Amino acid sequence: MTDLTKIPVTVITGFLGAGKTTLIRHLMANPQGKRLAVLVNEFGSVGVDGDILRSCADENCPVDNIVELANGCICCTVADDFIPTIEALMARPERPDHILIETSGLALPKPLLKAFDWPAIRSKITVDGVIALADAEAVAAGRFAPDVAAVDAQRAADDSIDHETPLSEVFEDQIACADIVLLSKADLAGEAGLAAARAVIEAEAPRQLPILPLTEGVIDPKVVLGLGAAAEDDLAARPSHHDGAADHEHDDFDTVVIDLPEVSDPEALIAAIQRLAREQRILRVKGHVAVAGKPMRLLIQAVGERVRHQFDRPWGADPRRSALVVIAEHHDVDEAAIRAVLGA
């Protein structure tokens, strides 16, 4: 690679728990001879996804090439975080051949694309493509919005109402910015669910997009990498609810970190997390938990009432700290009530 060659960047977006980290793990394991770098942006101060990806580091994507930007949306902290991080990657003796960016589940991708026009980096990198992941089962059921039926009822009762819920705006902006949409968890959705999810996305997309099913993050890397979209030069074709705004806020969402004592009954904790989704409208829970008598960390990833958990690696020299990141719309976050349910 010559110094004049722009390094391609793939932006991977998608709602909370859609499977972005799982896809990146697959791409890291199948780099096609390329030296990769990964930028992962978390909503909240505890980085779970970055920790998962660092455990997958190898010679094609060493630990130093996995950079975590936590506690701030990447598209809101361009000058402070994103630009310096890209410049640092470019300055390394072995520059990456391809950069993967995992946005937070609450990020709007278009403001990030605009950052690629900054003079400091425009000549060095280009957006190879924007990949949007959508949870097929959730989309088919309309769960990308907190309560679709209530919103529809309000609209039917009052013709003056003409706005989207925050969750649906995020979903629509991610789809509108995409070059490819991947319907994740296709095995859970089934054929009927995939068809329903595809219909929703086709109705929201501003142009015809490839929409492909995905299970456990497995897809031929040649399908999603090397698109040559130069998306930073194609912003007009990627409309956003926030076009024309100087910036955007994430005050619609909030996050709390809950420290827990060592857990003796993981199933009881999982039931409590499901109760949070059901009773307090919690969108997402993720983190690591110390289980009594177990030398390995219990990784928990929850989207609504669907909870996945597995022992991922030994604690080793790390402190046996149980911490869960809980994300919901701002008005649904009651820290005391969350702690009460989790037994914190």
Side-chain angles (χ1 to χ4, degrees):
M1 178 181 296
T2 70
D3 289 340
L4 297 178
T5 303
K6 287 188 177 184
I7 294 178
V9 178
T10 297
V11 176
I12 298 173
T13 187
F15 196 60
L16 300 161
K20 300 184 296 295
T21 303
T22 303
L23 171 63
I24 291 178
R25 290 179 66 179
H26 174 70
L27 296 175
M28 289 172 63
N30 298 275
Q32 299 182 299
K34 297 181 183 295
R35 184 176 178 83
L36 301 178
V38 178
L39 272 62
V40 56
N41 184 216
E42 296 255 33
F43 189 79
S45 58
V46 176
V48 176
D49 297 340
D51 197 31
I52 293 171
L53 293 174
R54 279 190 290 272
S55 70
C56 304
D58 58 19
E59 65 276 8
N60 294 304
C61 188
V63 169
D64 288 348
N65 278 20
I66 301 173
V67 183
E68 188 172 12
L69 304 177
N71 204 26
C73 172
I74 192 172
C75 53
C76 298
T77 58
V78 169
D80 294 334
D81 293 327
F82 177 62
I83 301 296
T85 298
I86 291 294
E87 290 181 314
L89 285 173
M90 299 298 97
R92 291 186 178 173
E94 290 188 87
R95 297 199 309 172
D97 300 315
H98 201 115
I99 299 172
L100 308 175
I101 297 179
E102 177 186 345
T103 71
S104 82
L106 302 176
L108 303 175
K110 189 168 181 178
L112 176 58
L113 297 193
K114 292 179 180 178
F116 283 76
D117 198 38
W118 280 49
I121 62 172
R122 180 171 175 78
S123 64
K124 300 175 182 178
I125 60 175
T126 181
V127 183
D128 180 67
V130 179
I131 311 301
L133 276 81
D135 184 317
E137 186 182 38
V139 172
R143 290 202 302 269
F144 57 87
D147 191 339
V148 176
V151 174
D152 287 342
Q154 277 188 303
R155 287 178 176 159
D158 187 350
D159 292 337
S160 69
I161 294 176
D162 185 22
H163 62 269
E164 302 296 325
T165 65
L167 293 184
S168 64
E169 284 193 9
V170 173
F171 174 80
E172 290 161 12
D173 274 26
Q174 290 172 348
I175 296 301
C177 203
D179 293 289
I180 294 177
V181 176
L182 301 180
L183 292 175
S184 62
K185 306 185 178 87
D187 55 329
L188 300 179
E191 290 302 319
L194 285 173
R198 182 185 295 272
V200 170
I201 290 168
E202 287 176 342
E204 297 295 348
R207 62 194 181 285
Q208 188 171 7
L209 294 173
I211 304 173
L212 307 173
L214 184 74
T215 296
E216 296 296 336
V218 176
I219 194 167
D220 188 336
K222 293 191 293 292
V223 174
V224 294
L225 303 183
L227 301 181
E232 69 273 19
D233 296 326
D234 186 35
L235 295 179
R238 304 165 192 266
S240 165
H241 286 279
H242 298 265
D243 282 340
D247 54 23
H248 68 278
E249 302 293 336
H250 290 287
D251 291 343
D252 293 318
F253 304 96
D254 207 351
T255 177
V256 294
V257 178
I258 306 297
D259 289 307
L260 299 172
E262 216 172 59
V263 172
S264 58
D265 185 355
E267 293 303 322
L269 177 61
I270 291 164
I273 292 171
Q274 291 171 329
R275 181 182 163 193
L276 284 178
R278 187 167 57 250
E279 297 179 2
Q280 299 189 40
R281 299 161 64 90
I282 298 302
L283 302 172
R284 184 86 161 92
V285 178
K286 57 184 178 178
H288 296 101
V289 173
V291 179
K294 301 291 185 181
M296 299 186 74
R297 308 181 312 177
L298 182 67
L299 170 66
I300 291 179
Q301 297 270 18
V303 182
E305 290 190 59
R306 191 169 65 229
V307 184
R308 300 182 68 174
H309 58 99
Q310 65 186 67
F311 289 101
D312 64 344
R313 69 172 175 82
W315 287 99
D318 296 334
R320 288 174 62 90
R321 178 197 177 198
S322 297
L324 295 177
V325 180
V326 180
I327 303 172
E329 290 195 76
H330 183 75
H331 57 270
D332 289 324
V333 175
D334 181 337
E335 183 170 348
I338 293 170
R339 290 184 179 278
V341 171
L342 293 176

